[in-house]
């Protein structure tokens, strides 16, 4: 046997692996801009975090990182968009602890499980803030006030069932006091309410105390005092241990399945940004602790938070027990059920229109179809509210409350108008003027569209006189009385009695 034969055979055996090594691409990632999806509108703390990160990351990346805002559902919209995109590493999701509470509260733990919780980058403790003008300038004063008021002490914060709400429940429980949580859609609105003496304390982030000189930190949920707020004591110093982990963390997540090489690229980039002097300096004086956790530690933390929120949301009555949604109406709020009922209502209205326009009631067909449409919308909205959280000890109104209140007002009026038409068709003064109802309905649609822009108060002030005018009520005193009466009713019932936050609009 020739001496070179074994060497030749060894070379042939190694050739496939050598070819594979040579053929394996170097994976020139990234070659296009990377999207950072943020679950809030521009201006929030997580949005600020993502934009600062993207700005500094350009120093270490050949392609830009672009922040994309996808608000809605407390993060559900952003999460679903990130999970719908390919697992190629070109979509990075900015995440916070608030997302975990929202997914648990809405039964969307599946979104948590589908993500690769890649990097934990920072956190800041929750703090209690008071208004100096109220006379509550220390925890001892706030605690004494809570004892004297019982369950009438009001703590303000963002969202119902959110991470701050749960922290507030834990704080009050550990301190042996009672409080009533008043939710707002944003921290800024809650702070404005505190400055307006509409509450006793606000639970938020340390930087929120910088919004006004009248605000002061009375307690910090941390293991030691904050360097930026050295006068604010910790709960442990106040004799209330066990709240050291009541904080809000922020980080980044990827869709599961991103190649390891690309995950390593993000790990290196995030480390470089975390060590950048400008990045560290940008968070000075904000009460933020910059800390990095890898995916293994981050995943374990998310799993722990998921279990904790499941426990506390169930305890305060905001989370349904397993099997509670077993009735027929319980699934109405799901997407497929909504589509089915919407299609059914459209079909019913189409058949009704065909019958009316070919019957002796055709002179009233337009009016009846408008009223049928209103009734159908009221029914559909009512069924959709079944999936919303009901009233509880933590939320006396519940997410179902206000939508159903409008439905209860709208549906009887529509049915009453139908009864008048059917009972006295000749006496109906609107039977020859169906355009009037169309105009009124158009004004109602404009009113709904203007509320997010002008706010509830200004939009209502414009809509109520206009609606009464379209309905041929032309007495100025009566129009003024009805408008004033409704606005006063809204303030006393919604805002003062039920603590329902009415939209303030984009102009404020």
């Amino acid at each position: 046997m020739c001496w070179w034969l074994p060497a030749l055979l060894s070379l042939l055996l190694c050739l496939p692996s050598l070819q594979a090594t040579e053929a394996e691409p170097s994976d020139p990632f990234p070659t296009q801009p990377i999207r950072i999806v943020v679950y809030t509108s521009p201006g929030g703390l997580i949005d600020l975090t993502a934009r600062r990160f993207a700005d500094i990351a350009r120093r270490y990346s050949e392609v830009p990182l672009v922040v994309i805002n996808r608000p809605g559902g407390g993060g559900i919209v952003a999460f679903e968009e990130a999970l719908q995109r390919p697992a190629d590493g070109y979509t990075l999701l900015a995440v916070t602890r608030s997302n975990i509470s929202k997914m648990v509260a809405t039964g969307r733990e599946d979104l948590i499980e589908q993500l690769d919780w890649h990097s934990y980058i920072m956190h800041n403790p929750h703090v209690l803030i008071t208004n100096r003008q109220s006379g509550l300038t220390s925890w001892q004063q706030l605690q004494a006030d809570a004892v004297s008021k019982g369950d009438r002490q009001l703590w303000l914060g963002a969202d119902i069932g959110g991470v701050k709400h749960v922290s507030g429940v834990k704080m009050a429980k550990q301190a042996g006091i009672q409080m009533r949580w008043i939710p707002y859609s944003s921290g800024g609105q809650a702070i404005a309410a505190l400055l307006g003496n509409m509450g006793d304390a606000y639970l938020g982030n340390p930087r929120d105390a910088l919004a006004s000189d009248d605000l002061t930190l009375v307690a910090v949920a941390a293991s030691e005092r904050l360097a930026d707020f050295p006068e604010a004591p910790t709960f442990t110093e106040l004799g209330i241990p066990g709240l050291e982990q009541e904080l809000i963390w922020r980080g980044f997540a990827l869709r599961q399945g991103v190649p390891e090489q690309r995950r390593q690229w993000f790990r290196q980039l995030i480390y470089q940004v975390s060590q950048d002097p400008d990045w560290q300096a940008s968070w000075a004086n904000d009460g933020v602790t910059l800390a990095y956790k890898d995916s293994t530690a981050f995943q374990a933390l998310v799993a722990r938070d998921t279990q904790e929120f499941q426990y506390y949301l169930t305890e305060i009555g905001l989370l349904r027990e397993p099997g509670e949604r077993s009735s027929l109406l319980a699934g109405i709020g799901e997407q497929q059920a909504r589509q089915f009922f919407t299609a059914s209502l459209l079909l019913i209205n189409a058949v009704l229109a065909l019958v009316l326009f070919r019957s002796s009631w055709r002179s009233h067909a337009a009016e009846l179809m408008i009223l049928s449409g209103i009734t159908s919308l009221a029914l559909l909205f009512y069924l959709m509210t079944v999936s919303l959280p009901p009233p509880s000890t933590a939320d006396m109104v519940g997410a179902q409350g206000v939508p159903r209140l409008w439905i209860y007002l709208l549906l009887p009026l529509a049915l009453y108008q139908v009864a008048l038409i059917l009972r006295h068709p000749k006496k109906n003064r609107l039977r020859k003027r169906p355009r009037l109802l169309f105009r009124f309905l158009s004004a109602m649609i404009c009113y709904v569209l203007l509320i997010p822009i002008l706010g509830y108060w200004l939009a209502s002030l414009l809509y109520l006189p206009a609606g009464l005018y379209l309905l041929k009520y032309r007495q100025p005193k009566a129009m003024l009385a009805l408008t004033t009466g409704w606005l006063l009713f809204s303030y006393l019932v919604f805002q003062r009695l039920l603590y329902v936050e009415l939209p303030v609009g984009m102009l404020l």
Side-chain angles (χ1 to χ4, degrees):
M1 188 174 182
C2 300
W3 62 270
W4 47 268
L5 187 56
L8 179 60
L9 291 174
S10 300
L11 180 61
L12 291 174
L13 291 174
C14 294
L15 186 59
S17 61
L18 292 174
Q19 290 176 340
T21 301
E22 294 176 355
E24 183 177 321
S26 59
D27 191 12
F29 175 84
T31 59
Q32 63 188 43
I34 296 172
R35 297 160 52 94
I36 303 180
V37 181
V38 176
Y39 75 97
T40 66
S41 301
L45 189 54
I46 185 62
D47 177 73
L48 175 63
T49 302
R51 294 185 184 277
R52 285 182 180 177
F53 178 85
D55 183 58
I56 295 178
R58 291 187 177 94
R59 305 174 185 178
Y60 308 101
S61 172
E62 297 180 358
V63 301
L65 282 76
V66 182
V67 175
I68 306 295
N69 296 92
R70 291 292 184 266
I76 293 178
V77 173
F79 275 48
E80 289 182 338
E81 175 170 330
L83 290 170
Q84 288 171 0
R85 292 188 171 274
D88 55 9
Y90 285 100
T91 300
L92 192 63
L93 185 63
V95 292
T96 74
R97 195 178 182 215
S98 300
N99 299 137
I100 309 300
S101 64
K102 179 60 66 173
M103 301 307 159
V104 172
T106 55
R108 297 303 308 272
E109 290 92 338
D110 59 303
L111 298 178
I112 300 175
E113 297 169 356
Q114 295 178 56
L115 286 178
D116 169 15
W117 298 86
H118 185 276
S119 297
Y120 174 116
I121 60 172
M122 66 174 65
H123 65 260
N124 54 262
H126 288 156
V127 299
L128 271 178
I129 300 174
T130 60
N131 184 353
R132 297 178 191 273
Q133 303 301 322
S134 68
L136 305 176
T137 59
S138 68
W139 165 257
Q140 289 78 9
Q141 292 175 331
L142 184 67
Q143 190 177 33
D145 181 71
V147 173
S148 64
K149 291 181 176 178
D151 62 351
R152 293 181 292 107
Q153 188 174 77
L154 305 182
W155 287 17
L156 314 180
D159 203 1
I160 184 77
V163 60
K164 292 184 175 66
H165 183 190
V166 172
S167 288
V169 171
K170 294 173 68 174
M171 290 175 184
K173 185 177 181 180
Q174 291 286 92
I177 62 175
Q178 292 180 303
M179 65 86 179
R180 185 171 181 182
W181 181 259
I182 308 301
Y184 286 81
S185 60
S186 68
Q189 293 183 14
I191 292 172
L194 180 67
L195 292 171
N197 293 317
M198 296 179 65
D200 301 296
Y202 164 74
L203 201 158
N205 304 317
R207 68 193 302 267
D208 293 332
L210 303 176
S212 171
D213 292 337
D214 289 333
L215 299 178
T216 181
L217 269 69
V218 298
V220 179
S223 56
E224 56 185 22
R225 295 196 180 195
L226 302 178
D228 302 319
F229 302 90
E231 296 180 358
T234 67
F235 277 103
T236 303
E237 291 177 307
L238 295 170
I240 309 172
L243 299 172
E244 294 79 13
Q245 296 302 315
E246 294 308 306
L247 50 80
I248 184 76
W249 49 252
R250 290 178 287 279
F252 294 108
L254 295 165
R255 177 181 172 179
Q256 286 190 5
V258 174
E260 181 60 27
Q261 183 178 354
R262 301 187 179 188
R263 295 183 72 253
Q264 292 287 350
W265 183 89
F266 278 110
R267 185 175 295 111
Q268 180 180 1
L269 176 67
I270 293 171
Y271 176 78
Q272 290 174 318
V273 172
S274 67
Q275 299 301 309
D276 190 284
D278 291 338
W279 169 261
Q280 296 176 354
S282 67
W283 295 106
N285 304 319
D286 277 348
V288 172
T289 300
L290 299 177
Y292 175 81
K293 295 182 187 294
D294 62 17
S295 59
T296 301
F298 198 7
Q299 186 70 44
L301 178 62
V302 169
R304 187 201 71 184
D305 283 345
T306 301
Q307 293 180 351
E308 181 174 293
F309 285 123
Q310 288 173 340
Y311 173 80
Y312 278 100
L313 291 177
T314 302
E315 185 179 71
I316 61 180
L318 294 177
L319 190 63
R320 291 180 172 90
E321 296 285 354
E324 186 178 343
R325 297 178 55 184
S326 57
S327 64
L328 174 63
L329 293 180
I332 296 299
E334 304 299 334
Q335 183 176 3
Q336 294 180 349
R338 287 200 305 266
Q339 293 174 351
F340 171 77
F341 278 92
T342 302
S344 300
L345 290 172
L346 288 174
L347 179 61
I348 292 173
N349 279 274
V351 173
L352 180 61
L354 183 63
V355 172
L356 286 175
F357 280 103
R358 293 187 177 185
S359 69
S360 59
W361 296 94
R362 58 181 176 273
S363 59
H364 300 281
E367 300 168 64
L368 291 172
M369 286 310 303
I370 292 176
L371 295 171
S372 176
I374 293 175
T375 304
S376 299
L377 286 175
L379 179 61
L380 180 62
F381 291 156
Y382 179 85
L383 296 176
M384 290 171 63
T385 61
V386 175
S387 63
L388 299 176
S392 66
T393 55
D395 183 10
M396 304 303 293
V397 180
Q400 300 173 346
V402 176
R404 288 190 176 184
L405 178 59
W406 288 110
I407 293 167
Y408 295 151
L409 294 174
L410 185 62
L411 188 57
L413 289 175
L415 295 177
Y416 176 71
Q417 183 65 27
V418 171
L420 287 180
I421 294 174
L422 296 178
R423 186 175 181 180
H424 305 291
K426 294 183 179 180
K427 295 182 180 180
N428 184 8
R429 61 176 182 159
L430 299 179
R431 65 186 179 89
K432 294 184 179 180
R433 290 177 288 177
R435 293 181 181 177
L436 187 61
L437 287 176
F438 279 110
R439 292 173 183 173
F440 179 76
L441 191 59
S442 299
M444 183 182 296
I445 294 174
C446 292
Y447 170 60
V448 174
L449 295 177
L450 284 175
I451 286 178
I453 301 174
L454 301 180
Y456 174 82
W457 302 107
L458 181 56
S460 298
L461 185 62
L462 296 175
Y463 166 73
L464 291 172
L468 293 171
Y469 183 86
L470 289 176
L471 291 177
K472 300 300 182 180
Y473 293 97
R474 303 295 172 84
Q475 299 180 5
K477 292 184 179 179
M479 295 170 64
L480 178 61
L482 288 172
T483 301
T484 304
W486 177 253
L487 293 178
L488 183 62
F489 170 82
S490 299
Y491 175 76
L492 294 177
V493 174
F494 289 111
Q495 193 156 321
R496 303 301 298 181
L497 178 62
L498 301 178
Y499 297 102
V500 173
E501 178 193 3
L502 298 171
V504 296
M506 300 172 58
L507 301 181
L508 297 180

